[in-house]
Amino acid sequence: MSWVIASLLMFVSSISFYLAVKKLQVLNIDKRVITLANYIFPTIIFFTISISQGQSLILPIHIIIMILVLRVLFNYLGTIAGYKSMEEAPNAGYSLVIQKSYAIYTLFAAAIIYGSEISLRRFLISGFILFCASIVAITKTSSTTKTSRWVLYAIVSMFSFGSISLSSKYFAGIGIQSAPLLFWVCLLTLVMTIGDSKRVKLNIGKISREVGFYMVILGLSVSGLYFFKLAAEIAAPNLGYVAAINAASTAVYTVLVAKIFGDSLSPKKLLAVIGMTVGLILLLFT
């Protein structure tokens, strides 16, 4: 699969995932319950894919330890910090812009670590996409927050997810296939989430049909996000370009949230979305 197709599928999956998260938060579902759904479904899906394609799930213990350190710990930390930031931010889009702004970080890091391409043209286009996304997400609001902890949480999430992306090419380079890798990441993160839920004595309670529906949507969309993001990062000339596309999904998400929850869409936001779309086309097809 080409990195362009994988990136587009990641883009759609990302928007669907965060819309499902937002809906569950509106329904007052605890972030730990959301995190459980976040990893139960992908664990089952990637187990099934691995078995159906004849890919071995048995990995050397040192590889599993590396997965635990390089992906699982960052994954769990980034996910929890990201959800907390979205909950406390005056607009969830503000948080997502920061969380997904690791494109510049990974652009340079990938060039240093892997010798990846870092053309000036694509670097500038990636920066332009991030700029447009920030215009869409960050707007004046009459609401206030008592704390700015959400910014710190978002920054922790940003560096965590950026570090995860940087490990993608490494694992591919040593021959670890995508589905088994994602199975172990999701399984180990799920175990950590269950342990944390028991520690705080989380009471899940009865799951309504509506909540169950959105959890399934969340599980399917996050599985697509993980899979296509990894595929794009491995195939792309620089995984920072993939991060920029992922960041661009934030703008579309913020606009959709505004529409779904009755907020207005200003001409400035609309112009930024158009600019972001042009940037994506230039990044993917030139």
Side-chain angles (χ1 to χ4, degrees):
M1 181 184 299
S2 74
W3 78 275
V4 173
I5 298 298
S7 295
L8 291 174
L9 292 172
M10 172 199 70
F11 185 90
V12 174
S13 298
S14 177
I15 295 169
S16 300
F17 168 60
Y18 282 109
L19 284 175
V21 170
K22 178 65 177 180
K23 180 62 178 180
L24 289 169
Q25 289 177 337
V26 168
L27 294 172
N28 294 317
I29 303 302
D30 187 280
K31 60 181 173 293
R32 288 183 176 82
V33 176
I34 297 175
T35 306
L36 285 171
N38 201 139
Y39 295 109
I40 289 174
F41 289 97
T43 298
I44 297 172
I45 289 172
F46 294 129
F47 175 84
T48 304
I49 292 175
S50 299
I51 296 302
S52 65
Q53 294 184 350
Q55 299 172 350
S56 176
L57 291 171
I58 301 175
L59 300 177
I61 187 63
H62 73 279
I63 296 295
I64 294 178
I65 293 174
M66 292 173 67
I67 291 174
L68 178 63
V69 173
L70 295 177
R71 293 190 74 98
V72 175
L73 293 179
F74 282 124
N75 196 22
Y76 183 76
L77 180 63
T79 299
I80 293 296
Y83 286 164
K84 288 179 70 67
S85 178
M86 290 173 67
E87 286 179 349
E88 297 187 12
N91 183 313
Y94 300 1
S95 172
L96 282 179
V97 162
I98 298 175
Q99 290 183 46
K100 294 198 173 188
S101 292
Y102 60 83
I104 303 301
Y105 160 46
T106 53
L107 267 170
F108 286 106
I112 294 171
I113 297 173
Y114 302 114
S116 300
E117 169 196 291
I118 184 168
S119 70
L120 177 61
R121 176 178 60 82
R122 279 181 163 160
F123 171 77
L124 293 175
I125 292 173
S126 298
F128 177 70
I129 290 173
L130 292 175
F131 173 73
C132 290
S134 68
I135 290 176
V136 175
I138 302 176
T139 57
K140 292 182 179 180
T141 177
S142 59
S143 64
T144 59
T145 53
K146 296 180 180 180
T147 175
S148 59
R149 288 183 306 177
W150 69 270
V151 176
L152 178 59
Y153 289 138
I155 291 173
V156 170
S157 181
M158 177 190 73
F159 280 103
S160 296
F161 292 142
S163 299
I164 290 171
S165 293
L166 288 170
S167 71
S168 297
K169 284 186 179 293
Y170 171 76
F171 284 111
I174 61 175
I176 307 300
Q177 296 172 301
S178 295
L181 171 62
L182 291 170
F183 164 77
W184 279 103
V185 170
C186 293
L187 176 63
L188 293 173
T189 311
L190 177 60
V191 171
M192 292 180 66
T193 305
I194 292 173
D196 187 43
S197 298
K198 289 185 175 181
R199 179 183 61 83
V200 299
K201 299 180 180 179
L202 177 67
N203 182 18
I204 296 177
K206 184 178 180 180
I207 301 296
S208 68
R209 182 172 298 180
E210 180 182 19
V211 170
F213 172 77
Y214 284 108
M215 282 188 171
V216 170
I217 296 298
L218 180 148
L220 293 175
S221 58
V222 77
S223 297
L225 172 59
Y226 289 156
F227 186 82
F228 296 120
K229 180 174 178 288
L230 180 60
E233 288 170 344
I234 292 173
N238 187 311
L239 53 84
Y241 304 153
V242 179
I245 297 168
N246 197 14
S249 67
T250 303
V252 176
Y253 161 80
T254 307
V255 172
L256 289 175
V257 166
K259 289 296 184 182
I260 292 171
F261 292 95
D263 294 342
S264 62
L265 178 64
S266 69
K268 182 172 70 174
K269 281 187 177 183
L270 181 59
L271 183 61
V273 172
I274 294 172
M276 178 204 70
T277 304
V278 173
L280 281 174
I281 293 173
L282 291 175
L283 184 62
L284 290 171
F285 301 110
T286 63

